[in-house]
């Protein structure tokens, strides 16, 4: 097989030297015993891996991890080969007719094409688009969860390549936190509540009452971007409970807190947390139980906010009696809860799920306001947190320095979109959109180049996304597996998984840097993104600009040594790169586990102001108010979701159930859905949907039945699981089942992907964040012939 040499690169541009893959020798192992494992890491933890003589993969969790993630059971499925892309493919229609919009994307067959033909083919297309339409016609699609590695980070690789080529239209923010990152810049000045919260170790020692809006789901703490070598969240919460701390869960799902925490469960109507929070604020203000000194000294706009809560601005007073019919929590319990909050060191915990819904900015803002009224922000164990239970790293502490990172370069193209507006971008070139006070225009995208991530997992209204992907001239995807994203591409380049390459793993919330040794040779003709992009760069005449003459090993050593030399002496590892690589890991020093968010600000807001216009927490933001957004006014406000989410014109009330589409307990997003743990959760081969027994009985649904879930935008099949852990009137369907549109006469997705039924709208004009957490649906037993699930089947 031919291989283009990188411009100016050394002979190891794509291959490691012998020591790079030396994970320990073996001396004639027994046929049924795996050789010694090689150190590796993943978003769900550190482990050792070895290929058994029978070809299977042996995974051994890090013995130093107090609670290894069950998700490691999925890892062997990464090698396939059933669903692996084994060789480059080009869609037949594109190959025969050339670039152009084509509704056949997603249904057309793909033809194998050799590497030495597909690289020049793609290079010519990239050159055509950028010279004919400019670089703003290229969308650099990527997402950050492809690997825990610092070098083979797909987003960094593709963005570096496209920046060397002249730039690209980019996305900002994330599906997880689109509303939060934008709002927090206005309210507290930056994302410190997300990136640097008070550690859980401090809460375990000091918090007396955890008020958990959206809970702290233990399943989510199995994962962390960049990996985590110690899963400690569950143990720290258990320690808090053992010390006598009390937990109150506010969620439609009872298991959003571990049963061992013995939480009181308040189950509001989904999406009504803001109304409940404002009613709690009303009690505190009306009864004089709020911290007036904190609100006046540390907050901006308290008086405006208080007028709204009390109804002195012409709106209804936000009393518990007002809130009860909205959220479904008795007024007496709301009033009593408000009083209880003042009797303890209280942590107001706000899950990421709250802001991942229509008008998602409001519950986050209202939760911060509630914490301000309690006046405990900056005290150990008090205040508010955003994302405890969202990842294993949230609340684990943070390192006071950066880790090795590949430089992406500079993007000269100014065009961008909020990440959750990808379908709008592709469908509506030239149209204007609002974002954070600005008015912007969608460029005309002719080529989508996607490496890392799966938009057919993250995005909403997948039927609409399919129409959007039909519009560009060319869609290019680097993929290890035949996901729906790969099936909707014109050019599919087989990418390696993390197990098939060397890398450096680490996260800013962890105490170990991991040498991620390659476990096995690439499957089929798969290549890592760096090699693919190096060959493309060489073909386009920018080889040296992209590679700097380094192969993978050269880059790993360069990133490590540059990082090591740039650290303050107190943090500098003694080990050089070769020593680190042989050891398999080194400790990272000075993880900050004993600090309190906003402690200095609390002590003196004049000498330690926040980076907001006022230097204070903005309960009223004059900046946001100046934008004139009716869907995000200048202070926290109860804004009911749009009613047409529940009704259609012909049948009002046609979708009476609230669907919660949360993260799955058996995989990370859609990754390794074909893995052993994920597969074990399926019901008749489909994603499980949990229903309250009363809702199921009313529809003639029994445990284990296949049901069809319908909304205004689409439908999907799923397997019914009856459970009283969901609020009546609520169904819960986790995200991540690979999208399978192979039987459209039955359902938009026959595998159970909830984004077949979620609406593709932004949170508001302020943030344009993802709203995929909630939808209004109806559920019915499906009695027709069951279509086969083909999501993991190569015969696509």
């Amino acid at each position: 097989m031919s291989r283009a040499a990188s411009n100016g690169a050394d002979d190891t541009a794509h291959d490691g030297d012998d020591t790079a893959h030396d994970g320990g020798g073996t001396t004639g192992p027994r046929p049924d015993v795996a050789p010694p494992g090689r150190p590796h890491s993943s978003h769900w933890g550190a482990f050792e891996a070895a290929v058994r003589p029978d070809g299977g993969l042996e995974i051994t969790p890090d013995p130093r991890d107090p609670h290894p993630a069950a998700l490691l059971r999925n890892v062997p499925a990464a090698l396939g080969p059933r669903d692996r892309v084994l060789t480059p493919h080009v869609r037949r229609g594109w190959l025969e007719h050339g670039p152009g919009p084509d509704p056949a994307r997603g249904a057309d067959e793909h033809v194998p094409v050799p590497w030495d033909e597909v690289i020049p083919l793609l290079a010519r297309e990239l050159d055509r688009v950028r010279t004919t339409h400019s670089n703003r016609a290229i969308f650099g699609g990527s997402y950050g969860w492809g690997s825990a590695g610092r070098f083979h980070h797909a987003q960094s690789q593709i963005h570096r390549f496209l920046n060397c080529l002249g730039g690209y239209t980019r996305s900002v923010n994330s599906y997880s936190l689109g509303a939060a990152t934008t709002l927090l810049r206005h309210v507290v000045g930056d994302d410190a509540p997300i990136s640097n919260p008070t550690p859980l170790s401090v809460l375990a020692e000091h918090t007396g009452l955890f008020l958990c809006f959206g809970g702290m789901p233990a399943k989510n703490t199995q994962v962390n971007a960049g990996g985590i070598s110690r899963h400690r969240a569950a143990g720290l919460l258990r320690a808090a409970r053992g010390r006598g701390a009390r937990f109150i869960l506010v969620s439609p799902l009872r298991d959003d807190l571990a049963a061992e925490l013995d939480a009181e469960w308040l189950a509001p109507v989904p999406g009504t947390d803001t109304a409940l929070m404002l009613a709690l604020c009303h009690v505190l203000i009306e009864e004089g139980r709020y911290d007036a000194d904190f609100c006046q000294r540390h907050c901006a706009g308290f008086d405006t906010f208080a007028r709204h809560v009390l109804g002195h601005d012409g709106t209804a007073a936000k009393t518990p009696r007002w809130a009860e019919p909205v959220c479904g929590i008795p007024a007496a319990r709301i009033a009593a809860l408000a009083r209880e909050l003042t009797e303890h060191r209280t942590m107001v915990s706000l899950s990421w799920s709250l802001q991942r819904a229509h008008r998602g900015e409001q519950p986050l803002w209202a939760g911060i306001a509630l914490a301000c009224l309690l006046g405990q922000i900056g005290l150990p164990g008090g205040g508010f947190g955003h994302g405890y239970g969202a990842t294993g790293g949230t609340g684990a502490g943070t390192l006071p320095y950066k880790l090795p990172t590949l430089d992406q370069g500079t993007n000269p193209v100014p065009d961008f979109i909020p990440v959750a507006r990808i379908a709008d971008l592709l469908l509506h070139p030239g149209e204007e959109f609002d974002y954070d006070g600005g008015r912007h225009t969608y460029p005309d995208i002719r080529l989508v180049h996607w490496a890392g991530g799966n938009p057919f997992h993250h995005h909403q209204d997948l039927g609409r996304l399919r129409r959007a992907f039909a519009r560009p001239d060319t869609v290019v995807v680097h993929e290890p597996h035949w996901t729906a994203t790969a099936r909707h591409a014109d050019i599919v380049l087989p990418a390696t998984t993390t197990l098939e390459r060397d890398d450096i793993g680490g996260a800013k919330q962890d105490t170990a840097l991991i040498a991620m040794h390659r476990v096995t040779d690439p499957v089929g003709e798969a290549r890592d993104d760096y090699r693919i992009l190096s060959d493309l760069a060489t073909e386009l005449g920018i080889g040296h600009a992209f590679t700097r003459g380094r192969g993978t090993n050269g880059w790993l050593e360069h990133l490590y040594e540059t990082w090591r030399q740039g650290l303050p002496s107190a943090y500098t590892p003694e080990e050089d790169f070769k020593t680190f690589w042989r050891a398999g890991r080194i400790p990272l020093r000075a993880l900050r586990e004993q600090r309190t968010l906003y402690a200095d600000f609390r002590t003196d807001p004049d000498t330690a102001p926040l980076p907001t216009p006022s230097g204070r927490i903005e309960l009223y933001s004059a900046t946001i108010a100046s934008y004139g957004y009716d869907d995000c006014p200048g202070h926290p406000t109860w804004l009911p979701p749009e009613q047409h989410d529940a009704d259609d014109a012909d049948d009002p009330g046609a979708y009476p159930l609230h669907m919660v589409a949360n993260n799955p307990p058996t995989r990370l997003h859609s990754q390794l859905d074909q893995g052993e743990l994920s597969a074990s959760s399926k019901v008749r081969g489909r994603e499980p949907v949990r229903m309250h027994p009363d809702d199921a009985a009313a529809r003639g649904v029994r445990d284990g039945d296949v049901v069809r879930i319908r909304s205004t935008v689409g439908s999907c099949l799923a397997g019914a699981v009856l459970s009283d852990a969901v609020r009546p009137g609520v169904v819960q369907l986790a995200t991540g089942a690979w999208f399978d549109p192979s039987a459209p006469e039955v359902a938009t997705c026959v595998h159970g992907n909830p984004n077949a039924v979620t609406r593709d709208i932004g949170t508001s004009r302020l943030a344009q964040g993802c709203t995929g957490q909630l939808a209004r649906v109806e559920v019915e037993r499906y009695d027709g012939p069951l279509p086969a699930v083909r999501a993991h089947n190569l015969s696509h």
Side-chain angles (χ1 to χ4, degrees), residues 134-452:
S134 83
N135 282 71
R136 67 193 300 261
I138 300 172
F139 180 73
S142 183
Y143 216 61
W145 288 100
S147 169
R150 308 294 300 180
F151 176 66
H152 290 294
H153 178 242
Q155 190 177 71
S156 297
Q157 291 284 348
I158 184 64
H159 290 174
R160 176 182 174 85
F161 167 75
L162 291 174
N163 284 336
C164 289
L165 195 62
Y168 61 99
T169 293
R170 71 192 193 281
S171 63
V172 298
N173 303 329
S174 69
Y175 279 89
S176 295
L177 288 160
T181 50
T182 305
L183 179 75
L184 288 173
R185 287 197 296 267
H186 293 283
V187 177
V188 295
D190 56 24
D191 70 349
I194 300 169
S195 62
N196 202 15
T198 301
L200 283 170
S201 55
V202 175
L203 307 191
E205 183 178 355
H206 295 283
T207 302
L209 176 61
F210 290 83
L211 179 61
C212 303
F213 288 94
M216 298 181 187
K219 61 182 174 61
N220 296 346
T221 63
Q222 294 190 73
V223 305
N224 189 57
I228 187 166
S229 61
R230 301 178 303 161
H231 290 86
R232 301 175 59 220
L236 289 169
L237 293 178
R238 195 162 50 242
R241 183 71 185 95
R243 182 181 49 79
R246 186 166 160 236
F247 290 81
I248 299 176
L249 169 64
V250 183
S251 169
L253 307 177
R254 187 174 61 211
D255 47 10
D256 272 342
L257 269 179
E260 64 184 351
L261 300 178
D262 193 27
E264 177 186 357
W265 182 29
L266 302 179
V269 174
T272 63
D273 302 84
T274 303
L276 174 57
M277 294 169 179
L278 294 179
L280 293 170
C281 290
H282 186 281
V283 175
L284 297 177
I285 297 172
E286 182 71 16
E287 297 184 0
R289 295 175 181 268
Y290 72 101
D291 189 328
D293 180 68
F294 185 91
C295 289
Q296 292 298 332
R297 189 165 179 241
H298 294 80
C299 303
F302 169 75
D303 293 338
T304 300
F305 174 68
R307 289 182 69 249
H308 176 70
V309 170
L310 297 174
H312 296 168
D313 61 351
T315 63
K318 312 308 180 291
T319 65
R321 190 175 297 276
W322 164 85
E324 178 176 344
V326 176
C327 65
I329 305 299
R333 183 67 194 101
I334 296 173
L337 175 59
R339 297 166 192 140
E340 291 168 24
L341 298 178
T342 66
E343 298 168 358
H344 304 272
R345 182 63 58 84
T346 298
M347 168 55 61
V348 179
S349 175
L350 309 166
S351 74
W352 291 358
S353 62
L354 299 176
Q355 51 82 58
R356 204 162 47 241
H358 196 211
R359 279 69 183 272
E361 297 83 0
Q362 301 309 313
L364 175 55
W365 204 352
I368 295 172
L370 174 60
C372 288
L373 266 61
L374 294 174
Q376 298 179 16
I377 292 173
L379 294 177
F384 73 94
H386 186 40
Y388 293 122
T391 71
T394 305
T398 54
L399 296 168
Y401 49 84
K402 295 182 178 180
L403 294 176
T405 302
L406 180 66
D407 181 18
Q408 297 185 17
T410 301
N411 185 0
V413 175
D415 298 88
F416 72 93
I417 60 164
V419 67
R421 303 272 48 83
I422 177 65
D424 287 350
L425 166 72
L426 299 179
L427 288 170
H428 303 297
E431 288 194 9
E432 294 185 335
F433 67 95
D434 291 302
Y435 171 71
D436 199 14
R439 190 78 170 161
H440 307 275
T441 302
Y442 292 123
D444 186 0
I445 298 299
R446 299 304 183 98
L447 184 146
V448 174
H449 196 159
W450 212 291

Side-chain angles (χ1 to χ4, degrees), residues 44 51 80 110 205 231 268 306-307 348 366 396 468 562 572 628 705:
W44 38 92
V51 178
H110 288 82
E205 183 178 355
H231 290 86
R307 289 182 69 249
V348 179
T562 302
T572 304
D705 282 348

